């Protein structure tokens, strides 16, 4: 072990500090085969690279893994911080380094496109973003959503929908195209409008989709009224149908900001291994498209740095018209001014990066973040519920923890408390990589602020069941039709089944406490590990260094799911218990019903806070007078 530590502490490729310039630039770590492992940018190359060559113990575990895997580091000096940002993006795209964040779009999103470069532009549904001269709207979450919008739009703005071959044939033959014959195409090929008239309708189509311009609705409404006043009811009905179609389109994209606002908004949810991004495209104050993507992280990256990477990825190849005036993010990256300059250069106009702090924009950011959190949960859940992934996870766990067999039954434990009170522990069970919620258990623990002692107590109680498995008396045997009596062996209670692996939420101290419980109970055959949330390290008993599983490891996602499920179950039970305890204390006070108890808890939050309140503060709540307030105060004081 000592020799291993000595090897880890030596990085022979480390350059002398004086060799590294203090200019802005981009650096690359390479392995022995020359493969680029990581690309990063810096305003001061010497200051940034010195962080990677700090004592290995002080590095994030995954950063340590990267620098010890690397065999060389090189850098390129650039003239400005904006140049370093552009070069970093270009190299990440070219080399696809394994330690940089990796993006996985949830799907290839469909767009609505209007082929403006054509003689008679048509509207289509496509996933191809490279049609020359096309104007795009979206992305849309589903293909049917694009078709539905187009169906409504061509009722108001009848533009061409037929294929290029149908258009060419119709224009040469003088006969309308088939979609035109059934009222599904309004191009010149329908022989109802000229090419110039059709181009004007296309311009209105694009203007409406770009800004949701309500002047079209007002104009149609006025025409409908004029036709009705002139008793031209047939024309009035046509205008009415078009007006209803416009209202349906506007309803599908509700106005979330003022109608002159063009914004891209990014909601981000992350843990130590992955992040999900919800990108809301807002044009003319309305949500015109939503794109979701998942990011896999390998080395430590802060929320602000993640925003930096997301913006580079989103706008690196974007057309100028796709870059809005304002970009809303959860937190500003360190080089926000440089990114603004980069975007301004690409767009040709001013671009502002902001954090939404209040009002409608903050509400919309909360919505996007909530969507991202749900997407992250679904992403992790799907990985652990897929059969192939589950099998791979169990195999990876067996290899990583050096087990003799795959852990088909895993139990995970977490301790939760509120300042040493209401201490509870949870036990969740996964069999074959799937949760067995019918076998979850909770434990009450005497009040303590020492999580390791609580964990030892809980595991000692749980392991005791393995030594005295209680049996269920089978029902009295009944004779079959031929008189034979069949007896069944007694069944063991579920709690008496031994796990192949115990997982605890925590690092070295928690694993040491669990190992002591296993040793004292005489169950050395059960494997043990802990997963520390801060760095997602996997700790084994008696080891000075954790096991670092790759970010793409199915085993790591399974351990994460176990840990998160145990934490959720413990917190849920603690809240129920705390609420029950609070309600039972307050229900003893005469004159307090359920409604007043809920009002008190909603206002003060806990019995402790309520006990510290004065009678005057209690009496300030609606429905509680001075007499009842004195009664509550005196009862809690006793």
């Amino acid at each position: 072990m000592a020799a291993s530590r000595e090897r880890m502490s030596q990085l022979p490729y480390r350059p002398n500090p004086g060799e590294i310039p203090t200019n802005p630039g981009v650096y690359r770590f390479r392995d022995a085969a020359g493969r680029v492992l990581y690309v990063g940018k810096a305003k001061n190359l010497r200051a940034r690279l010195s962080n990677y060559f700090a004592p290995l113990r002080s590095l994030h575990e995954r950063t340590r893994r990267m620098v010890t895997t690397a065999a060389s580091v090189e850098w390129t000096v650039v003239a400005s911080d904006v140049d370093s940002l552009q070069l970093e993006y270009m190299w990440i795209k070219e080399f696809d380094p394994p330690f940089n964040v990796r993006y996985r779009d949830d799907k290839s999103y469909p767009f609505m496109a209007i082929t403006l470069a054509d003689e008679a532009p048509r509207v289509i549904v496509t996933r191809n973003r490279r049609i020359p001269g096309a104007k795009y709207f979206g992305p849309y979450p589903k293909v049917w959503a694009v078709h539905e919008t187009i169906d409504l739009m061509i009722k108001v703005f009848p533009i061409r929908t037929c294929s290029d071959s149908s258009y060419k044939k119709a224009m040469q033959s003088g006969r309308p195209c088939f979609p035109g014959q059934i009222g599904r195409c309004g191009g010149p090929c329908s022989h109802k409008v000229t090419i110039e008239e059709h181009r004007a309708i296309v311009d209105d189509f694009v203007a409406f989709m770009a800004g949701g311009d309500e002047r079209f609705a007002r104009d149609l409404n006025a025409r409908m009224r004029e036709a009705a006043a002139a008793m031209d009811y047939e024309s009035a009905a046509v205008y009415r149908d078009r007006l209803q179609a416009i209202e349906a389109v506007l309803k599908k994209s509700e106005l979330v900001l003022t109608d002159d606002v063009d914004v891209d908004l990014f909601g981000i949810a992350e843990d130590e291994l992955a992040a999900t991004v919800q990108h809301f495209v807002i044009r003319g104050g309305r949500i015109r498209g939503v794109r979701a993507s998942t990011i896999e992280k390998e080395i430590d990256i802060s929320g602000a740095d993640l925003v930096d990477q997301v913006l580079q990825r989103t706008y690196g190849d974007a057309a100028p018209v796709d870059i809005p005036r304002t970009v809303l993010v959860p937190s500003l990256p360190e080089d926000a001014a440089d990114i603004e300059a980069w975007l301004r250069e690409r767009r040709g106009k001013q671009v502002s990066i902001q954090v939404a702090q209040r009002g409608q924009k903050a509400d919309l950011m909360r919505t996007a973040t909530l969507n991202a959190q749900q997407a992250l949960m679904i992403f992790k859940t799907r990985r652990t519920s897929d059969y192939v992934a589950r099998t791979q996870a169990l195999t990876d766990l067996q290899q990583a923890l050096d087990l003799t067999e795959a852990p088909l039954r895993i139990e995970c434990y977490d301790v939760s408390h509120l300042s040493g009170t209401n201490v509870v522990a949870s036990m969740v069970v996964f069999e074959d990589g799937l949760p067995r919620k019918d076998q979850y258990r909770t434990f009450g623990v005497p009040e303590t602020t020492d999580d390791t002692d609580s964990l030892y107590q809980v595991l000692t109680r749980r392991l005791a069941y393995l030594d005295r498995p209680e049996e269920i008396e089978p029902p009295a045997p009944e004779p079959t039709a031929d008189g034979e009596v069949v007896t069944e062996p007694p069944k063991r209670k579920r709690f008496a089944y031994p796990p192949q692996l115990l997982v605890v939420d925590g690092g070295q101290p928690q694993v040491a406490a669990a190992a002591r419980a296993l040793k004292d109970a005489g169950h050395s055959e059960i494997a043990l590990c802990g997963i520390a949330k801060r760095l997602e390290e996997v700790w084994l008993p008696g080891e000075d260094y954790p096991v670092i599983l790759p970010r793409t490891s199915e085993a790591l996602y399974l351990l994460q799911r176990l840990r998160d499920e145990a934490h959720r179950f413990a917190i849920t039970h603690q809240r129920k218990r705390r609420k029950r305890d609070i309600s039972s204390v307050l229900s003893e006070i005469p004159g307090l019903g359920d409604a007043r108890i809920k009002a008190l808890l909603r206002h003060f939050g806990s019995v402790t806070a309520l006990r510290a309140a004065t009678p005057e503060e209690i009496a300030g709540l609606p429905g509680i007078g001075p007499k009842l307030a004195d009664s509550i105060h005196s009862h809690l004081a006793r």
Side-chain angles (χ1 to χ4, degrees):
M1 180 64 76
S4 173
R5 291 180 194 169
E6 186 66 26
R7 283 195 302 272
M8 288 185 66
S9 65
Q10 296 176 355
L11 298 174
Y13 66 90
R14 175 180 179 175
N16 294 322
E19 299 174 357
I20 307 174
T22 57
N23 308 69
V26 182
Y27 55 91
R28 293 179 289 185
F29 282 89
R30 293 181 182 268
D31 64 11
R35 181 181 61 154
V36 175
L37 298 176
Y38 183 76
V39 173
K41 66 178 182 299
K43 293 186 176 183
N44 183 321
L45 284 167
R46 182 182 299 176
R48 176 60 59 87
L49 286 174
S50 65
N51 294 333
Y52 291 100
F53 299 111
L56 292 178
R57 277 188 171 275
S58 66
L59 294 180
H60 184 287
E61 290 292 341
R62 296 181 179 277
T63 304
R64 182 190 307 168
R65 181 165 168 258
M66 189 272 290
V67 297
T68 54
T69 303
S72 64
V73 62
E74 56 193 38
W75 54 84
T76 300
V77 174
V78 296
S80 68
D81 297 332
V82 176
D83 291 339
S84 68
L85 191 148
Q86 292 175 327
L87 183 59
E88 180 193 33
Y89 170 75
M90 185 179 71
W91 277 354
I92 289 176
K93 186 177 178 182
E94 178 182 353
F95 298 114
D96 190 22
F99 283 89
N100 283 90
V101 297
R102 291 189 173 184
Y103 297 83
R104 301 182 352 165
D105 282 340
D106 287 359
K107 55 179 76 69
S108 177
Y109 289 90
F111 287 81
M112 178 196 300
I114 294 89
T115 57
L116 295 178
D118 292 349
E119 176 186 71
R122 66 173 178 144
V123 59
I124 59 173
V125 179
T126 182
R127 299 177 193 270
N128 179 11
R129 293 298 313 274
R130 292 181 172 83
I131 301 175
K135 175 69 175 178
Y136 290 91
F137 297 101
Y140 290 80
K142 302 289 183 183
V143 171
W144 60 261
V146 201
H147 285 294
E148 193 174 70
T149 302
I150 290 175
D151 289 343
L152 292 169
M153 287 295 297
I154 61 175
K155 292 179 181 178
V156 187
F157 307 101
I159 67 173
R160 182 165 80 92
T161 60
C162 67
S163 66
D164 290 340
S165 60
S166 295
Y167 174 78
K168 185 176 181 181
K169 182 178 179 181
M171 296 300 285
Q172 289 175 346
S173 66
R175 291 164 48 187
C177 63
F178 177 71
Q181 296 175 35
I182 62 174
R184 291 280 302 162
C185 179
C189 47
S190 68
H191 299 291
K192 295 178 182 178
V193 294
T194 64
I195 291 177
E196 292 74 19
E197 290 171 337
H198 179 258
R199 175 66 69 167
I201 298 173
V202 169
D203 291 342
D204 286 344
F205 187 111
V206 172
F208 179 85
M209 288 301 301
D213 197 334
E214 296 188 6
R215 67 183 174 87
F216 294 107
R218 291 194 297 270
D219 181 56
L220 284 172
N221 192 41
R223 291 186 183 186
M224 180 183 69
R225 293 181 182 277
E226 289 175 4
M231 289 189 268
D232 184 2
Y233 299 116
E234 187 174 340
S235 297
V238 172
Y239 293 136
R240 179 203 61 201
D241 293 342
R242 291 183 179 181
L243 184 61
Q244 289 174 348
I246 274 193
E247 290 173 347
V249 173
L250 291 175
K251 189 175 181 181
K252 285 182 177 296
S253 56
E254 293 291 348
L255 192 68
V256 292
L257 299 173
T258 53
D259 58 9
D260 62 341
V261 173
D262 292 345
V263 169
D264 276 4
L265 184 144
F266 295 87
I268 300 176
E270 62 174 318
D271 61 17
E272 286 73 13
L273 294 176
T276 50
V277 181
Q278 289 282 321
H279 176 191
F280 285 10
V281 180
I282 303 168
R283 298 295 182 267
R286 298 177 186 275
I287 299 178
R288 299 296 179 183
V290 178
R291 179 185 284 114
S293 58
T294 302
I295 298 172
E296 293 180 342
K297 300 189 289 185
E298 183 60 56
I299 65 174
D300 186 30
I301 181 169
S302 67
D305 290 338
L306 189 60
V307 170
D308 184 322
Q309 296 292 315
V310 168
L311 296 182
Q312 285 189 49
R313 158 79 179 215
T314 303
Y315 301 116
D317 295 322
V321 295
D322 292 331
I323 302 175
R325 288 178 293 179
T326 305
V327 177
L328 297 177
V329 295
S331 57
L332 286 178
E334 181 181 342
D335 55 350
D338 299 329
I339 298 178
E340 285 181 343
W342 176 60
L343 293 177
R344 182 170 61 250
E345 183 179 301
R346 295 189 61 81
R347 182 173 185 253
K349 299 178 182 178
Q350 188 67 33
V351 178
S352 172
I353 300 175
Q354 304 172 8
V355 175
Q357 296 180 335
R358 63 180 67 87
Q360 291 176 306
K361 293 179 180 179
D363 292 339
L364 198 56
M365 177 63 76
R366 281 190 286 271
T367 300
T369 303
L370 179 61
N371 278 272
Q373 290 169 346
Q374 293 175 345
L376 181 61
M377 179 187 69
I378 292 171
F379 169 71
K380 294 170 67 176
T381 302
R382 283 178 179 170
R383 290 197 63 163
T384 53
S385 60
D386 177 72
Y387 175 76
V388 176
R390 294 200 323 265
T391 304
Q392 186 64 48
L394 296 176
T395 303
D396 289 350
L397 265 182
Q398 178 184 355
Q399 295 174 351
L401 306 184
D402 196 22
L403 307 179
T404 56
E405 59 182 355
L408 300 182
R409 179 183 171 96
I410 306 175
E411 295 178 4
C412 184
Y413 295 82
D414 182 35
V415 175
S416 177
H417 63 82
L418 183 67
S419 301
T421 64
N422 283 305
V423 184
V424 299
S426 64
M427 162 187 148
V428 300
V429 180
F430 276 41
E431 289 187 352
D432 295 329
L434 289 175
R436 287 292 306 271
K437 295 192 176 184
D438 60 320
Q439 298 190 28
Y440 286 13
R441 295 290 185 273
T442 55
F443 302 82
V445 184
E447 292 189 0
T448 175
T449 55
D450 188 348
D451 282 355
T452 58
D453 182 58
S454 299
L455 189 62
Y456 174 82
Q457 292 182 44
V458 168
L459 287 176
T460 300
R461 287 159 57 186
R462 188 270 174 273
L463 295 169
Y465 280 87
L466 300 180
D467 299 323
R468 53 176 194 277
E470 300 173 20
E471 295 180 347
I472 302 175
E473 284 294 329
E478 296 182 2
T480 60
D482 56 4
E484 182 182 0
V485 176
V486 179
T487 59
E488 296 182 357
K491 298 179 181 179
R492 303 174 75 186
K493 285 190 173 179
R494 294 167 183 161
F495 207 48
Y497 284 103
Q500 280 84 47
L501 175 65
L502 283 182
V503 179
V504 295
D505 180 12
Q508 280 180 304
Q510 287 76 16
V511 171
R516 184 160 51 92
L518 284 169
K519 180 180 178 182
D520 293 349
H523 285 285
S524 57
E525 78 284 0
I526 299 175
L528 169 67
C529 74
I531 176 167
K533 185 172 180 61
R534 187 174 69 90
L535 302 176
E536 300 295 38
E537 311 156 332
V538 179
W539 289 91
L540 299 178
E543 294 292 333
D544 293 331
Y545 288 94
V547 175
I548 302 299
L549 296 173
R551 66 177 170 196
T552 55
S553 167
E554 299 297 342
L556 187 53
Y557 276 98
L558 176 58
L559 290 177
Q560 271 192 320
R561 178 87 193 283
L562 276 157
R563 188 266 319 283
D564 294 346
E565 184 71 351
H567 184 67
R568 178 200 65 79
F569 194 54
I571 290 292
T572 301
H573 178 68
Q574 186 203 62
R575 286 174 178 166
K576 288 180 180 178
R577 180 176 174 179
R578 193 163 70 234
K579 184 177 180 181
R580 185 172 61 248
D581 291 346
I582 291 172
S583 298
S584 62
V585 170
L586 295 176
S587 62
E588 298 173 357
I589 303 174
L592 272 188
D594 290 341
R596 286 174 173 170
I597 289 175
K598 288 180 181 178
L600 284 167
L601 294 180
R602 197 162 45 242
H603 183 78
F604 291 100
S606 69
V607 169
T608 303
L610 180 57
R611 184 178 287 117
T614 64
E616 291 75 19
E617 291 173 332
I618 299 173
L621 267 71
I624 298 180
K627 186 175 180 180
L628 181 56
D630 288 335
S631 178
I632 294 171
H633 185 267
S634 59
H635 184 91
L636 293 177
R638 290 197 302 270

